[in-house]
Coordinates of all heavy atoms in Angstrom, one line a residue:
Chain C
F41 N -14.4 -26.7 76.4 CA -13.6 -26.3 77.5 C -13.5 -27.5 78.4 O -14.3 -27.7 79.2 CB -14.2 -25.1 78.2 CG -13.1 -24.3 79.0 CD1 -12.4 -23.3 78.4 CD2 -13.0 -24.5 80.3 CE1 -11.4 -22.6 79.1 CE2 -12.0 -23.8 81.1 CZ -11.3 -22.8 80.4
T42 N -12.4 -28.3 78.2 CA -12.2 -29.6 78.9 C -13.2 -30.6 78.5 O -12.9 -31.8 78.3 CB -12.2 -29.4 80.4 OG1 -11.5 -28.2 80.8 CG2 -11.6 -30.5 81.1
S87 N -4.9 -19.6 74.6 CA -4.7 -18.8 75.8 C -4.0 -19.7 77.0 O -3.5 -19.1 77.9 CB -6.0 -18.2 76.3 OG -7.1 -19.0 76.2
G89 N -1.8 -23.4 77.1 CA -1.4 -24.6 76.3 C -0.7 -25.6 77.2 O 0.5 -25.8 77.0
R101 N 5.4 -27.9 72.8 CA 6.7 -27.4 73.2 C 7.8 -27.6 72.1 O 8.6 -26.7 71.8 CB 7.1 -27.9 74.5 CG 6.4 -27.3 75.7 CD 7.0 -27.8 77.0 NE 8.4 -27.6 77.1 CZ 9.1 -28.0 78.2 NH1 8.5 -28.6 79.2 NH2 10.4 -27.8 78.2
E105 N 9.9 -24.7 70.8 CA 11.3 -24.6 71.2 C 12.3 -25.1 70.1 O 13.4 -24.5 70.1 CB 11.5 -25.5 72.5 CG 10.7 -24.9 73.7 CD 10.6 -25.9 74.9 OE1 11.3 -26.9 74.9 OE2 9.7 -25.7 75.8
E116 N -1.0 -15.5 71.3 CA -1.5 -15.9 72.6 C -2.3 -14.8 73.3 O -2.0 -13.6 73.2 CB -0.5 -16.5 73.5 CG 0.7 -15.7 73.9 CD 1.7 -16.5 74.7 OE1 1.3 -17.1 75.8 OE2 2.8 -16.6 74.3
S118 N -5.1 -14.0 76.9 CA -5.6 -14.5 78.2 C -6.9 -15.2 77.9 O -7.6 -14.9 76.9 CB -5.7 -13.4 79.2 OG -6.7 -12.5 78.8
H119 N -7.4 -16.0 78.9 CA -8.7 -16.6 78.7 C -9.8 -15.6 78.5 O -10.7 -15.7 77.6 CB -9.1 -17.5 79.9 CG -8.5 -18.8 80.0 ND1 -7.9 -19.4 78.9 CD2 -8.5 -19.8 81.0 CE1 -7.5 -20.6 79.2 NE2 -7.8 -20.9 80.5
R139 N -11.3 -5.5 80.4 CA -10.4 -4.8 81.2 C -9.2 -5.7 81.5 O -9.3 -6.6 82.3 CB -11.1 -4.4 82.5 CG -10.3 -3.4 83.4 CD -11.0 -2.9 84.6 NE -12.0 -1.9 84.2 CZ -13.3 -2.1 84.2 NH1 -13.8 -3.2 84.6 NH2 -14.1 -1.1 83.9
E142 N -2.9 -5.4 80.7 CA -2.3 -4.1 81.2 C -1.3 -4.5 82.3 O -1.4 -5.3 83.1 CB -3.4 -3.3 81.9 CG -3.1 -1.8 81.9 CD -4.3 -1.0 82.2 OE1 -5.4 -1.6 82.4 OE2 -4.2 0.2 82.3
N144 N 1.4 -6.0 81.8 CA 2.2 -7.2 81.6 C 2.9 -7.2 80.2 O 2.7 -6.2 79.4 CB 1.3 -8.5 81.7 CG 0.2 -8.6 80.7 OD1 0.2 -7.9 79.7 ND2 -0.7 -9.5 80.9
D145 N 3.7 -8.3 79.9 CA 4.4 -8.3 78.7 C 3.6 -8.9 77.5 O 4.1 -9.0 76.4 CB 5.7 -9.2 78.9 CG 6.7 -8.5 79.8 OD1 6.6 -7.3 80.0 OD2 7.5 -9.2 80.4
R149 N 3.0 -8.7 72.7 CA 3.3 -9.9 72.0 C 2.1 -10.5 71.2 O 2.2 -11.6 70.7 CB 3.8 -11.0 72.9 CG 5.1 -10.7 73.6 CD 6.3 -10.7 72.5 NE 7.6 -10.4 73.1 CZ 8.7 -10.5 72.4 NH1 8.7 -10.8 71.2 NH2 9.8 -10.2 73.0
I193 N -20.9 -28.6 81.0 CA -20.1 -27.4 80.8 C -20.1 -26.9 79.3 O -19.7 -27.6 78.4 CB -18.6 -27.6 81.3 CG1 -18.6 -27.8 82.8 CG2 -17.7 -26.5 80.8 CD1 -17.3 -28.2 83.4
G195 N -18.7 -24.1 77.9 CA -17.5 -23.5 77.3 C -17.8 -22.4 76.3 O -18.6 -21.5 76.7
Y246 N -14.6 -35.8 77.6 CA -15.8 -36.5 78.0 C -17.0 -35.9 77.5 O -17.0 -34.8 76.9 CB -15.8 -36.6 79.6 CG -16.2 -35.4 80.3 CD1 -17.4 -35.2 80.8 CD2 -15.2 -34.4 80.4 CE1 -17.8 -34.0 81.5 CE2 -15.5 -33.2 81.1 CZ -16.8 -33.0 81.6 OH -17.1 -31.8 82.3
G252 N -17.2 -40.6 81.1 CA -16.4 -39.7 81.8 C -15.0 -39.4 81.2 O -14.7 -40.0 80.2
D254 N -11.2 -39.5 80.5 CA -10.2 -40.5 80.7 C -9.0 -39.9 81.3 O -8.0 -39.7 80.6 CB -10.0 -41.2 79.4 CG -9.1 -42.4 79.5 OD1 -8.6 -42.7 80.6 OD2 -9.0 -43.2 78.5
G256 N -6.7 -41.1 83.1 CA -5.6 -42.0 82.9 C -4.9 -41.7 81.5 O -3.7 -41.7 81.4
Chain D
E69 N -13.1 -21.7 86.3 CA -13.1 -20.9 85.1 C -13.9 -21.6 84.0 O -14.2 -21.0 83.0 CB -11.7 -20.5 84.6 CG -10.8 -21.6 84.2 CD -9.4 -21.2 84.0 OE1 -9.0 -20.1 84.5 OE2 -8.6 -22.0 83.5
S83 N -9.0 -31.9 85.9 CA -9.0 -30.7 85.1 C -10.1 -29.7 85.6 O -10.9 -30.1 86.4 CB -9.5 -31.1 83.6 OG -10.9 -31.2 83.6
I84 N -10.0 -28.5 85.2 CA -10.9 -27.5 85.7 C -12.3 -27.7 85.1 O -13.2 -26.9 85.4 CB -10.5 -26.1 85.4 CG1 -9.7 -26.0 84.2 CG2 -9.7 -25.5 86.5 CD1 -10.4 -25.5 83.0
G85 N -12.5 -28.7 84.3 CA -13.8 -28.8 83.7 C -14.4 -30.2 83.9 O -15.2 -30.7 83.1
D86 N -13.9 -31.0 84.9 CA -14.4 -32.3 85.1 C -15.9 -32.3 85.3 O -16.5 -31.4 85.8 CB -13.7 -32.9 86.3 CG -12.4 -33.5 86.0 OD1 -11.8 -33.2 84.9 OD2 -11.8 -34.3 86.8
G87 N -16.5 -33.4 84.9 CA -18.0 -33.6 85.0 C -18.5 -33.3 86.4 O -19.6 -32.8 86.5
V99 N -18.1 -19.8 79.2 CA -16.8 -19.3 79.5 C -16.8 -17.7 79.3 O -16.3 -17.0 80.2 CB -15.7 -20.0 78.7 CG1 -14.4 -19.2 78.8 CG2 -15.5 -21.4 79.3
Q108 N -14.7 -10.4 86.0 CA -14.6 -8.9 85.7 C -15.7 -8.2 86.4 O -15.6 -7.1 86.9 CB -14.6 -8.7 84.3 CG -14.4 -7.2 83.9 CD -14.2 -7.1 82.3 OE1 -13.2 -7.2 81.8 NE2 -15.4 -6.9 81.7
Y136 N 11.2 -14.8 74.8 CA 9.9 -15.1 74.2 C 10.1 -15.7 72.8 O 9.4 -16.7 72.5 CB 9.0 -13.9 74.2 CG 7.6 -14.2 73.7 CD1 6.7 -14.7 74.6 CD2 7.2 -14.1 72.4 CE1 5.4 -15.1 74.2 CE2 5.9 -14.4 72.0 CZ 5.0 -14.9 72.9 OH 3.8 -15.3 72.4
E137 N 10.9 -15.1 72.0 CA 11.0 -15.6 70.7 C 11.6 -17.0 70.5 O 11.2 -17.8 69.7 CB 11.9 -14.6 69.8 CG 11.2 -13.3 69.6 CD 9.9 -13.3 68.9 OE1 9.5 -14.4 68.4 OE2 9.1 -12.3 68.9
V141 N 12.2 -22.9 77.8 CA 11.0 -23.7 78.1 C 9.7 -22.9 77.8 O 9.6 -21.8 78.3 CB 10.9 -24.1 79.6 CG1 9.7 -25.0 79.9 CG2 12.2 -24.8 80.1
R142 N 8.9 -23.5 76.9 CA 7.7 -22.9 76.7 C 6.7 -23.4 77.7 O 6.4 -24.5 77.8 CB 7.2 -23.2 75.3 CG 5.8 -22.7 74.9 CD 5.7 -21.2 74.9 NE 4.4 -20.8 75.5 CZ 3.9 -19.6 75.4 NH1 4.4 -18.7 74.6 NH2 2.8 -19.4 76.1
P144 N 2.7 -23.0 79.7 CA 1.4 -23.0 79.2 C 0.9 -21.6 78.8 O 0.0 -21.5 77.9 CB 0.5 -23.6 80.3 CG 1.5 -24.6 81.0 CD 2.8 -23.8 81.0
G147 N -3.5 -18.2 80.4 CA -4.8 -18.7 80.9 C -5.6 -17.6 81.5 O -5.7 -16.5 81.0
G148 N -6.3 -17.8 82.6 CA -7.1 -16.8 83.2 C -6.3 -15.9 84.2 O -6.9 -15.0 84.8
E151 N -6.5 -11.7 84.4 CA -7.7 -11.2 84.8 C -8.2 -11.7 86.2 O -8.9 -11.0 86.9 CB -8.8 -11.5 83.7 CG -8.7 -10.6 82.5 CD -7.6 -11.1 81.5 OE1 -7.3 -12.3 81.6 OE2 -7.2 -10.3 80.7
L177 N 6.7 -11.1 82.1 CA 5.7 -10.8 83.1 C 4.3 -11.1 82.5 O 3.8 -10.4 81.7 CB 5.8 -9.3 83.5 CG 5.2 -8.8 84.8 CD1 5.6 -7.4 85.2 CD2 3.7 -9.0 84.8
T178 N 3.8 -12.2 83.0 CA 2.4 -12.6 82.5 C 1.3 -11.9 83.3 O 0.3 -11.5 82.8 CB 2.3 -14.1 82.7 OG1 3.4 -14.8 82.2 CG2 1.1 -14.6 82.0
G252 N -6.7 -42.9 87.4 CA -6.6 -42.5 86.0 C -7.6 -43.2 85.1 O -7.7 -42.9 84.0
T254 N -11.0 -44.6 83.3 CA -12.2 -43.9 82.8 C -13.3 -44.2 83.8 O -13.5 -45.3 84.2 CB -12.6 -44.6 81.4 OG1 -11.6 -44.3 80.5 CG2 -13.9 -44.0 80.9
V255 N -14.0 -43.2 84.1 CA -15.1 -43.3 85.0 C -16.4 -43.1 84.2 O -16.6 -42.1 83.6 CB -15.1 -42.2 86.1 CG1 -16.3 -42.4 87.1 CG2 -13.8 -42.3 86.9

Side-chain angles (χ1 to χ4, degrees):
Chain C
F41 203 85
T42 316
S87 44
R101 281 187 54 183
E105 295 168 14
E116 64 183 301
S118 66
H119 277 350
R139 188 174 284 109
E142 206 165 356
N144 67 10
D145 294 339
R149 296 292 182 176
I193 289 172
Y246 71 105
D254 189 350
Chain D
E69 65 191 14
S83 83
I84 32 103
D86 276 17
V99 167
Q108 185 173 271
Y136 186 81
E137 293 300 348
V141 182
R142 174 64 225 197
E151 284 82 19
L177 200 169
T178 314
T254 298
V255 182

